[in-house]
């Protein structure tokens, strides 16, 4: 359908901090104008932040997990034009081993599952999130938990087109560059199973594959959390794929 020439595609938008929020993102934030398109990524940066700053961001803006894991590798602050807009935390996951499945071309495949056995409310999302189940699994292996690093929190405190994708790209590139000693093979993160939004699209865009789900259940050795009563999608990304991707710097040059 043709677009009206009276309303051309926007080239930028104005961001105004939330005056009612006292978190590190909004407490001292200033209005800024954000350009859209390829230029946007040029304004997104990731730098380490301390535990207290990350915790304050999650407490104010994480949709379902406001606390931090007790043991972490690093916290990343997400910045746009020098202004803090989000945070990402990296840690080793609380697993000792994980079975990984591969398809014909060596790409990640989801664990064998029948979508029709999932709760009816999850089936439409499962069909969008999971790769096609038509391709067979031709190989699998069991890897140790210390070869996986989890993005335990991915939290953005402002709504901004393309921010999730650009932030994730910057963060995973920086983590692999600064913290990978050659033993880490996969990055891991979880997304609430009834959520199908910008973060899912960002994960796919940056080389992540949904490889299955986790059923609801509280952990016996940790504080009960409402999110543990929900299904969650599991996303993995091979570190080799990140190393082989064009960086944002090259892509936007």
């Amino acid at each position: 359908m043709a677009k009206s020439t009276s309303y051309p595609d926007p080239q930028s938008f104005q961001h105004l901090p939330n005056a009612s929020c006292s978190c590190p993102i909004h407490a001292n934030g200033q209005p800024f104008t954000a350009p859209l398109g390829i230029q946007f990524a040029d304004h997104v940066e990731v730098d380490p932040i301390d535990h207290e700053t990350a915790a304050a961001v999650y407490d104010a803006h994480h949709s379902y997990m406001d606390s931090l894991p007790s043991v972490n590798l690093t916290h990343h602050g997400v910045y746009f034009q020098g202004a803090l807009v989000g945070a990402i935390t990296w840690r080793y996951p609380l697993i000792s081993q994980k079975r990984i499945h591969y398809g014909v071309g060596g790409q990640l495949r989801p664990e064998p599952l029948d979508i029709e056995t999932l709760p009816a409310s999850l089936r439409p999302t499962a069909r969008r999130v999971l790769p096609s189940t038509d391709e067979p699994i031709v190989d699998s292996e069991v890897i140790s938990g210390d070869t996986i690093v989890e993005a335990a929190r991915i939290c953005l405190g402002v709504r901004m087109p393309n921010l999730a994708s650009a932030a994730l790209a910057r963060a995973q590139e920086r983590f692999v560059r600064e913290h990978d000693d050659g033993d880490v093979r996969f990055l891991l993160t979880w997304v609430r199973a009834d959520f199908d939004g910008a973060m899912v699209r960002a994960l796919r865009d940056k080389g992540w594959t949904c490889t299955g789900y986790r059923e609801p259940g509280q952990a016996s050795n940790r504080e009960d959390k409402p999110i543990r009563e929900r299904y969650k999608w599991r996303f993995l990304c091979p570190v080799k794929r990140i190393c082989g991707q064009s960086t944002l710097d090259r892509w936007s040059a």
Side-chain angles (χ1 to χ4, degrees):
M1 182 173 65
K3 296 182 180 179
S4 170
T5 56
S6 300
Y7 297 94
D9 290 338
Q11 299 300 310
S12 63
F13 68 95
Q14 185 75 12
H15 168 69
L16 299 174
N18 183 353
S20 64
C21 181
S22 60
C23 83
I25 292 174
H26 294 102
N28 301 307
Q30 299 296 320
F32 57 78
T33 299
L36 301 177
I38 287 181
Q39 293 181 1
F40 183 91
D42 296 338
H43 295 260
V44 177
E45 298 293 341
V46 166
D47 283 307
I49 56 175
D50 58 35
H51 179 97
E52 291 73 21
T53 301
V57 170
Y58 301 139
D59 182 61
H61 295 290
H62 200 284
S63 61
Y64 55 81
M65 188 68 82
D66 55 5
S67 60
L68 268 175
S70 57
V71 179
N72 307 290
L73 293 170
T74 188
H75 305 291
H76 281 164
V78 180
Y79 294 85
F80 185 85
Q81 294 184 349
L84 182 68
V85 294
I88 299 175
T89 290
W90 302 90
R91 69 162 184 177
Y92 287 112
L94 301 177
I95 58 174
S96 59
Q97 292 182 325
K98 181 63 188 171
R99 180 170 291 277
I100 307 293
H101 302 284
Y102 301 98
V104 175
Q107 70 275 26
L108 288 174
R109 302 298 303 154
E111 61 195 18
L113 62 92
D114 182 357
I115 290 178
E116 298 305 317
T117 63
L118 291 172
S121 61
L122 295 184
R123 293 171 198 165
T125 306
R127 294 187 180 96
R128 292 193 298 271
V129 172
L130 289 166
S132 171
T133 56
D134 294 337
E135 184 178 334
I137 293 172
V138 299
D139 195 11
S140 65
E141 64 172 329
V142 175
I143 63 174
S144 61
D146 60 3
T147 63
I148 303 173
V149 170
E150 178 182 358
R153 302 288 183 272
I154 302 175
C155 178
L156 302 176
V158 301
R159 292 185 178 275
M160 197 180 297
N162 303 324
L163 180 58
S165 180
L168 184 63
R170 292 291 194 195
Q172 66 187 34
E173 286 175 4
R174 179 153 188 166
F175 178 83
V176 170
R177 184 172 67 247
E178 296 184 355
H179 295 275
D180 176 25
D181 58 4
D183 294 329
V184 177
R185 296 181 56 192
F186 295 95
L187 302 183
L188 161 74
T189 199
W190 302 88
V191 178
R192 202 173 76 184
D194 58 353
F195 178 77
D196 186 9
M199 188 49 66
V200 169
R201 293 190 294 273
L203 288 165
R204 283 176 164 173
D205 184 47
K206 298 307 169 189
W208 297 66
T209 300
C210 183
T211 61
Y213 66 93
R214 183 160 65 190
E215 294 185 348
Q218 296 292 344
S220 60
N221 60 343
R222 283 174 282 161
E223 177 187 0
D224 286 359
K225 292 284 187 179
I227 183 57
R228 298 195 183 108
E229 299 300 331
R230 296 178 180 268
Y231 284 83
K232 284 183 284 187
W233 305 123
R234 179 181 61 249
F235 281 82
L236 287 174
C237 183
V239 167
K240 285 184 177 180
R241 179 176 297 176
I242 296 171
C243 295
Q245 289 175 341
S246 294
T247 66
L248 280 176
D249 291 331
R250 291 200 298 269
W251 173 66
S252 59

